[in-house]
């Protein structure tokens, strides 16, 4: 029997959680109800009470009530719920997880959900699901369902939505519990891609798949880079072909698709093989053209579509980017190879295209070459980044690095 864990603030939304619990049980699933409320007594009896959650977070519930500090209480309950959720999963008592709540409940619940492995069904029903969900979802595979009305009573609208949520998580949990994926003995390779580097990535992926690798492509849109590096940290990824490092430009200049200051560092910290290129470092990403910050007016821009405006990186910015990449790669503990295409780093940066700027590209290349330590393998090719030969040479190099890495026993891939 599959087990669904349901968590929420039972002092304010206990009746709603009891409603979904009854529906889940009717689908032949077991339920573990966890109370993450603080201030009041639960409206329905939990299987794991708020006292246990608070204690797992390092503070007794009486202290939280006495302090009457909502922010502190949420932090403690998030830590406690996360520890309990992890343990339930490790003990085989969690096949899916559901939570109902507003911004506060969603913050606590999704903090715990993000600690679970990718593939474990996670469903958050909340009023915040129609807005910016990035703080709640992060790099995980949480499914957000908009509650339409506030989660405050069972009525003709909320009843339908909560019924759908309960049935959805129950069926996902049963599928997760009963369907066992076949074990693959393929090393997992991650590749970063943007629309302007797609031909390169598709060619390299095809080459690597023929060699027996499993290839996963991540969009270099900020959250994609973070998700990729989170999976590296969790041990899923064996090697990385970082074709598209454009997120570094957004971080430096202030675009909307930054992956944070630590981008391009996780593979080096873990020592896994990486082949890196300069894909789409000619651009910084913004929203609709009328949202472009005023201090960028006068810069070379390109309206990619009504919702995306691209801005060309300057000579000075490219010089800085070269130094940033070198600094990160010089500290890598594993094998690294850097590939430089001399005839354009994106589909719109080659000769005749809107972002063609040989001076800026040369500043990037010169800065990178001057700043890289001598032990870093550097390959310079007189091609465009989307040239098939460039893509295949990068794939071959990654195969070489991984094969050597595996031979010397640094990576014990089963």
């Amino acid at each position: 029997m599959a087990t669904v864990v349901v968590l929420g603030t039972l002092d304010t939304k206990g009746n709603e959680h009891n409603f979904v619990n009854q529906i889940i049980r009717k689908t032949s699933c077991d339920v573990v109800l966890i109370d993450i409320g603080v201030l009041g007594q639960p409206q329905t009896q939990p299987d794991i009470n708020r006292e246990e959650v608070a204690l797992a977070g390092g503070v007794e519930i009486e202290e939280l009530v006495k302090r009457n500090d909502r922010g502190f209480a949420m932090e403690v309950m998030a830590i406690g719920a996360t520890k309990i959720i992890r343990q339930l999963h490790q003990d085989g008592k969690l096949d899916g997880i559901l939570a109902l709540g507003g911004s506060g409940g969603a913050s606590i619940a999704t903090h715990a959900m993000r600690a679970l492995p990718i593939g474990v069904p996670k469903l958050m029903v909340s009023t915040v699901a129609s807005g910016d969900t990035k703080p709640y979802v992060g790099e995980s595979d949480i499914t957000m369902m908009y509650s339409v009305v506030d989660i405050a009573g069972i009525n003709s609208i909320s009843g339908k939505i909560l019924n759908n949520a309960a049935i959805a998580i129950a069926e996902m949990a049963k599928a997760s519990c009963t369907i066992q994926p076949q074990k693959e003995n393929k090393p997992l390779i991650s590749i970063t891609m943007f629309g302007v580097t797609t031909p390169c990535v598709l060619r390299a992926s095809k080459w690597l798949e023929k060699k027996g690798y499993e290839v996963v492509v991540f969009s270099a849109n900020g959250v994609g880079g973070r998700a990729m590096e989170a999976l590296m940290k969790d041990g899923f990824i064996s090697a990385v072909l970082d074709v598209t490092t454009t997120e570094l430009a957004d971080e430096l200049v202030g675009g909307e698709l930054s992956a944070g200051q630590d981008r391009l560092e996780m593979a080096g910290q873990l020592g896994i093989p990486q082949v890196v290129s300069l894909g789409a470092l000619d651009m910084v990403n913004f929203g609709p053209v009328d949202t472009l910050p005023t201090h960028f007016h006068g810069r070379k821009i390109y309206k990619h579509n009504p919702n995306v405006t691209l801005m060309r990186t300057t000579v000075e910015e490219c010089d800085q980017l070269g130094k940033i990449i070198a600094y990160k790669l010089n500290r890598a503990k594993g094998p690294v190879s850097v590939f430089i295409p001399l005839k354009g780093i994106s589909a719109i940066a080659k000769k005749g295209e809107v972002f063609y700027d040989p001076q800026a590209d040369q500043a990037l290349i010169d800065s990178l070459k001057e700043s890289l330590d001598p032990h870093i393998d550097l390959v310079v090719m007189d091609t465009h980044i989307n040239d098939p030969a460039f893509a295949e040479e990068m794939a071959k190099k990654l195969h070489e690095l991984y094969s050597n890495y595996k031979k010397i026993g640094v990576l014990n891939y089963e």
Side-chain angles (χ1 to χ4, degrees), residues 191 199-209 215 241 243 388 391-392 394-395:
I191 306 184
C200 174
V201 170
L202 295 182
R203 186 80 176 211
S205 297
K206 185 176 181 180
W207 193 96
L208 288 165
E209 286 168 350
V215 176
L241 181 53
V243 174
E392 291 192 2
M394 283 195 295

Side-chain angles (χ1 to χ4, degrees), residues 289-336:
V289 66
D290 58 0
T291 67
L292 188 71
T294 56
H295 60 279
F296 290 132
H297 288 179
R299 293 278 296 267
K300 182 183 290 186
I301 64 170
Y302 175 64
K303 187 177 178 181
H304 182 64
N305 62 47
N307 297 313
V308 177
T309 303
L310 308 178
M311 183 177 75
R312 200 359 168 146
T313 45
T314 64
V315 169
E316 294 75 20
E317 290 162 353
C318 285
D319 177 73
Q320 288 181 267
L321 286 168
K323 292 180 172 64
I324 290 169
I325 293 170
Y327 174 76
K328 292 173 180 288
L329 298 182
N330 287 341
R331 298 186 297 163
K333 298 177 182 177
V336 180

